Structure formats: C-alpha cells, structure tokens
Amino acid sequence: MIRSLKKRHRRERWFRRTGLMSLLFALLFLGSIFGDIIYKGYSAFFRTEIALQGGHPDLLNPHARYSVREGLQWIISSDDVDMYYKRKYVGKLSSDQIQAIESLKKQEQIRLVFNKGFFTRSDSREPELAGIWGGLIGSLLTLFVTFLTAFPLGIGTALYLEEFAPKNSFTSWIEANINNLAAVPSILFGLLGLVLFIHFIGLPRPSALVGGLTLGLMSLPVIVVSTRAALSSVPSTLKEAALGLGATPLQVLFHHVVPAALPGIMTGVILSLARALGETAPLLMIGMVAFIGTPPSSFLDPATVLPVQIFNWSRSPEMGFVENTSGAILVLLFVLTLLNGSAVFIRRKFES
C-alpha cells in the first residue's frame, strides 16, 4: 500500500515536471520567433536620409521627394545604402560607395529618421519607398464587409437553431454540417468565393467586397458555433423563471438569454474577425495577391490586405523587403493583439 502510494506520487511529480518543461520549451521557441521578427523588423520604422549637399547622387533614390530639415535638403537613400547604414549589409555596394558612406558619416550628412512613409505609403517596387497604408486600408474595408456579412447571419442562425428550431433529423443534419464547416480549410472558402462571387455573380476582382464576402462565409460557421455555445451556457432556470412571470419566448430571449450570453457571443465574434484579419489563403484564390500601388477608395476598387502584402514582400529577394516583411508582421501582430485584448475586455466588462 505504501509502495503504491509512493509510486503514484513519483508519477505525479514526473508529470508536473514534464508539463513545466513542455511549457518552458514552448515559451522559448515562441520567444525566439518573436525575437527574430523584432530584430529584423524594428529597423523598418526608420529610414536613411542623405543631405544633397554631400553629393554622391548614386547613393540616393531617384524617385524620392526632397525634404527640408534644419536648413538642409535631405532625400531618401537607396535600399542598399539603407541596409549598409543600418546593418552593415554590403549587398550590391561597391568599395567606392562604401567609402562615400563612411565619409558622409564623418561629415554628419547621413542619418536615420523615423520612417513615417512606412505607415503612409502604399506598396512599391522599391523597398525604401514601400509602405503598408494600402494593405491596411484594404484590410479595414475587407474586415468591415466581413463583419456585415457574418455577424447578422451568424447570430440569427445561432438564435434560431438554439431557441426556436424543432429538434428533428433535418436540424440535426444542419447542425452537423455547420460544425464540419467550422473545421474546413480556409482555402476551400477561397474556391467558393472564386466560383460564387466572381464567376457566377461577376463582382470585380480583386476587391474588398469579394474578399469580405469570402471571409464572411469562412467566419460564419465559427460565429454560429460560438454563439450557440454561449446561449446553451445560460441556466435553464433563468428562462423558466421569466416564462413563469408571464414573459413571451421572444421577450425571454432578448431580455434575459441574450444579455446573459453576450460576453461569450462578442468574444466569439471578435476572435473570428481576428482570424479573418490574418487569413491569406482564401484571398489568394480570389486574386487579391495582385500588386496594388494605390490604396482603395471604395469597396469595388482593386485592393489587397496586409497579410497578402506581407506574403508578396517575403518573396522578394531584396534585403530591404525582408526588413519590411518583419516590420509589417509586427504591425499585424499589434492589431491582432488589440482585437484579442478587446475580446477579453468586453467579456470581463459584461460579466461584471
């Protein structure tokens, strides 16, 4: 008996240590990934400028605009100069150009400034002039269409299936299919959007409208499942008490059940939108992978989204685009953190 008890205690200690080691290994792995992204991406928020008085036109970007600061005219350097000044990456620079850069350093005619163009410019073929503004606007427009598509349909479907639909084989078949759709790979929704919205309906490609509708279809099953789970967690005694006091089924639903389930409902909706914001595969299928040099001004204009823009930059061999890719990932992670944080805040707010 005592041996058996000691054996169980040893197994419990071994299990705890194994779990702790697994957690530490996962945190180390995740931290190394984040550390690498931050190391490569933080410099994208700064750019190298050269004073025109310093000469060396071969070090400048011919398409950049002049800016006047401190009585001097400054212009954005080329991406090779930018990478050398930030990270000592030689790239295609010749020895004469490297000597010229070092000479400019001594004369204080080259410097780093905050790269606001990274947030205010759209995509470009040149990494030093590329920005995330077009992808960010496309993401916001696409996410807005996704919300308008998935939120009312998903909430309405969940309310009907959970509270009003008769329990028979047909509704059971619908519920099973909705649960299966929640686990379908996202690229299949891209194929559905390509066939339904572009080939059949004839909507313009690529546009935020088509992208939002496609992501709306992808988010719809997740919202239905999460909303039904929130509704089913409401105690049945609450419904019975309201009905006993003379409330109608509709009054019970909207005055008692929905307010009680609202934290779970809003959490599911926000998390599904956060997933849609980070999706790439379904948008590649509907043509949102195209190069977009100007931000969209309407839902029908050609558009791309930030994850797809990151995907395009990651395929470019220039070192400047590697830096831009990591910088855009940091921005995307920041937006996703805000969405996930707002989900936690809303849940706690309604639960208190």
Side-chain angles (χ1 to χ4, degrees):
M1 183 70 177
I2 297 176
R3 289 182 179 179
S4 176
L5 183 61
K6 290 182 178 179
K7 188 176 181 180
R8 291 201 302 269
H9 287 170
R10 283 197 302 268
R11 287 180 179 177
E12 183 178 356
R13 288 193 297 268
W14 177 84
F15 181 78
R16 289 181 178 179
R17 291 169 184 171
T18 304
L20 180 61
M21 291 298 296
S22 301
L23 177 61
L24 293 177
F25 180 78
L27 291 176
L28 180 63
F29 183 73
L30 185 62
S32 63
I33 294 177
F34 282 152
D36 182 68
I37 294 174
I38 292 173
Y39 173 73
K40 292 179 179 178
Y42 80 95
S43 55
F45 305 138
F46 302 91
R47 70 186 183 197
T48 305
E49 291 185 344
I50 298 176
L52 286 179
Q53 288 79 355
H56 307 290
D58 57 328
L59 303 180
L60 305 175
N61 185 292
H63 304 290
R65 296 180 179 179
Y66 298 96
S67 60
V68 179
R69 293 192 183 94
E70 301 174 2
L72 296 176
Q73 285 186 324
W74 297 83
I75 191 171
I76 301 175
S77 67
S78 65
D79 63 317
D80 292 323
V81 175
D82 187 56
M83 287 293 99
Y84 179 80
Y85 189 69
K86 291 177 180 176
R87 302 182 176 274
K88 295 297 181 181
Y89 178 77
V90 176
K92 301 177 183 178
L93 293 176
S94 63
S95 58
D96 293 337
Q97 290 175 320
I98 293 176
Q99 291 178 0
I101 296 173
E102 296 297 333
S103 176
L104 290 173
K105 284 184 183 179
K106 296 178 181 178
Q107 300 171 18
E108 297 184 350
Q109 293 181 336
I110 183 172
R111 64 180 184 179
L112 282 180
V113 297
F114 179 70
N115 187 13
K116 65 178 182 179
F118 184 74
F119 300 95
T120 59
R121 294 195 188 98
S122 296
D123 201 2
S124 173
R125 301 295 183 187
E126 302 178 60
E128 66 272 24
L129 298 180
I132 63 172
W133 180 245
L136 196 58
I137 292 298
S139 294
L140 293 177
L141 293 177
T142 302
L143 202 62
F144 182 72
V145 176
T146 301
F147 177 79
L148 292 183
T149 303
F151 181 76
L153 291 178
I155 299 299
T157 301
L159 291 176
Y160 176 75
L161 289 176
E162 188 66 25
E163 300 295 334
F164 299 107
K167 305 302 179 182
N168 52 37
S169 58
F170 179 69
T171 56
S172 299
W173 178 79
I174 292 178
E175 293 172 1
N177 279 276
I178 290 176
N179 292 330
N180 291 333
L181 284 175
V184 167
S186 59
I187 195 170
L188 297 183
F189 288 99
L191 291 172
L192 177 62
L194 177 66
V195 174
L196 179 61
F197 300 125
I198 295 178
H199 292 169
F200 184 72
I201 300 179
L203 295 176
R205 169 188 184 180
S207 64
L209 179 61
V210 176
L213 291 174
T214 303
L215 294 180
L217 292 179
M218 185 196 71
S219 304
L220 193 58
V222 179
I223 293 178
V224 172
V225 171
S226 61
T227 301
R228 291 195 64 193
L231 293 172
S232 61
S233 65
V234 178
S236 59
T237 54
L238 181 65
K239 307 176 187 178
E240 294 170 359
L243 291 173
L245 291 174
T248 65
L250 201 61
Q251 288 176 327
V252 172
L253 176 63
F254 288 105
H255 293 177
H256 302 280
V257 177
V258 171
L262 197 57
I265 294 174
M266 295 305 299
T267 300
V269 171
I270 294 175
L271 292 181
S272 66
L273 292 179
R275 178 197 173 191
L277 179 63
E279 281 292 340
T280 302
L283 302 180
L284 297 181
M285 298 302 301
I286 60 174
M288 293 189 77
V289 71
F291 174 84
I292 306 296
T294 56
S297 57
S298 70
F299 294 102
L300 298 178
D301 289 343
T304 188
V305 294
L306 193 54
V308 173
Q309 189 168 341
I310 292 172
F311 171 75
N312 289 334
W313 283 351
S314 67
R315 297 185 300 168
S316 300
E318 291 92 340
M319 191 64 184
F321 277 120
V322 175
E323 179 186 71
N324 288 348
T325 298
S326 299
I329 289 174
L330 291 177
V331 175
L332 183 60
L333 288 175
F334 177 75
V335 176
L336 291 175
T337 302
L338 286 180
L339 286 176
N340 291 323
S342 62
V344 175
F345 174 78
I346 290 174
R347 186 178 188 89
R348 292 182 178 178
K349 185 72 174 178
F350 281 103
E351 285 179 347
S352 60

